[in-house]
Amino acid sequence: MKITHTDRLGNKLSEASGENSVEIEILGEFGFEDILIFEMEPGSFVEVDIDPTFNKSIVYAPDGKIVYQLPVGPKARAYDPEAFKGERHLITMERVSRELLAKRRNLAMNSLDTRWDTGYFPHASANVVTRDEPWFEAKNAIDGHLSRVGHGAWPYQSWGGGLRDDLVFRLDFGREVLIDEIVIYLRADYADDHDINWESGVVTFSDGEKMPISMKKVEEGQSYAFAEKKVTWIELSELKREISAAFSALTQIEVFGRDIL
């Protein structure tokens, strides 16, 4: 296993390796759009701790590689302002045990996800992003952060599609998994009626089955349990709200289940 730190042009700045875990200490400030490359055996599951402001994430890398370019400019506004700041950075990667993979957990969270296809999973995408602003990208709905009583940049980043009625959110797992529950946290910026809840929607599973859901105007997560099923992806669509001039958005989606070993 190996972690490599390069500049934005791919010039290697530092590197560390290990058998089942690896950590790299980077001294000094990061450069503009520096890149972190995580390499492991193809088909590996690794837990990555990339920054203290990020949630540790279990990532599936079918090609054995995770390439993460540090966000800058507007992209950085979807993250804690202290992310990747300072003169000392400790980044770790650890192989995930089969025992942990067999346990029920949230299979959706990936704080390293980015907007476009990454080659590692889980990965969120959507057909619409409000004004193409990074704090409304689909990846925000699987970063593990639950602040939801406001809207816009950190800490209220969410997936939003404006006032469109044809929204589709997709979550790809990159492999077959067994799932039995979905928890949805709607953005709850209900002050002055900026937000309104979606009242209904449809969850489509990769096997073609559709599950209609209803949603309420609440801050807490709303759970939808079902008999365990095997899927490779899910989609959330046909989202309806009562007032067409009010916004609705998704702060977080959790999908509980386990890996197939």
Side-chain angles (χ1 to χ4, degrees):
M1 303 173 70
K2 182 168 65 175
I3 302 175
T4 305
H5 171 215
T6 78
D7 64 17
R8 65 192 298 266
L9 300 178
N11 299 307
K12 185 165 65 175
L13 302 174
S14 60
E15 185 177 276
S17 60
E19 185 173 351
N20 292 309
S21 65
V22 55
E23 66 177 42
I24 186 170
E25 183 179 39
I26 299 171
L27 300 177
E29 294 184 355
F30 280 115
F32 181 81
E33 291 187 334
D34 276 4
I35 298 170
L36 296 169
I37 303 170
F38 303 83
E39 296 178 84
M40 69 296 295
E41 293 179 2
S44 291
F45 294 84
V46 292
E47 184 176 60
V48 177
D49 188 0
I50 198 169
D51 186 85
T53 67
F54 278 52
N55 289 297
K56 287 184 181 180
S57 298
I58 294 176
V59 181
Y60 172 60
D63 296 328
K65 195 171 189 178
I66 299 168
V67 179
Y68 188 85
Q69 187 166 48
L70 305 190
V72 299
K75 291 182 180 179
R77 294 185 60 197
Y79 303 92
D80 189 311
E82 296 303 311
F84 305 113
K85 296 292 178 64
E87 296 285 340
R88 180 179 180 272
H89 313 273
L90 184 64
I91 298 161
T92 67
M93 172 174 61
E94 183 175 358
R95 195 181 309 278
V96 180
S97 70
R98 291 177 62 86
E99 290 76 16
L100 179 55
L101 293 174
K103 291 181 179 179
R104 187 175 183 269
R105 68 183 197 280
N106 176 17
L107 297 169
M109 194 183 77
N110 180 8
S111 63
L112 278 73
D113 195 27
T114 58
R115 180 173 181 178
W116 308 112
D117 289 343
T118 61
Y120 55 88
F121 301 92
H123 172 63
S125 58
N127 64 333
V128 180
V129 171
T130 302
R131 296 184 297 273
D132 281 333
E133 292 172 341
W135 44 91
F136 292 129
E137 292 176 355
K139 67 176 181 60
N140 300 320
I142 61 169
D143 65 5
H145 292 289
L146 292 174
S147 297
R148 52 197 179 278
V149 294
H151 71 278
W154 173 273
Y156 302 118
Q157 70 278 8
S158 60
W159 168 61
L163 299 176
R164 296 274 293 267
D165 292 322
D166 60 345
L167 302 178
V168 180
F169 174 93
R170 180 181 173 110
L171 178 62
D172 283 282
F173 300 102
R175 77 281 187 191
E176 286 190 329
V177 294
L178 291 169
I179 65 172
D180 58 29
E181 183 185 13
I182 296 170
V183 181
I184 288 175
Y185 293 84
L186 297 179
R187 195 180 65 196
D189 189 7
Y190 298 137
D192 300 321
D193 294 324
H194 181 278
D195 283 357
I196 190 171
N197 61 298
W198 284 307
E199 294 188 317
S200 63
V202 172
V203 175
T204 302
F205 301 96
S206 59
D207 63 3
E209 182 181 347
K210 294 181 180 292
M211 180 178 71
I213 62 172
S214 60
M215 289 166 275
K216 299 177 181 179
K217 189 178 181 179
V218 295
E219 291 185 21
E220 60 265 25
Q222 301 180 62
S223 172
Y224 309 90
F226 43 87
E228 188 176 66
K229 62 191 294 88
K230 186 184 297 184
V231 301
T232 57
W233 55 261
I234 63 170
E235 285 186 348
L236 181 62
S237 62
E238 299 182 41
L239 296 162
K240 307 298 182 184
R241 60 193 188 283
E242 181 182 9
I243 302 173
S244 60
F247 296 98
S248 300
L250 178 66
T251 291
Q252 203 72 192
I253 184 169
E254 299 172 340
V255 182
F256 289 93
R258 56 191 174 90
D259 269 287
I260 302 171
L261 302 178

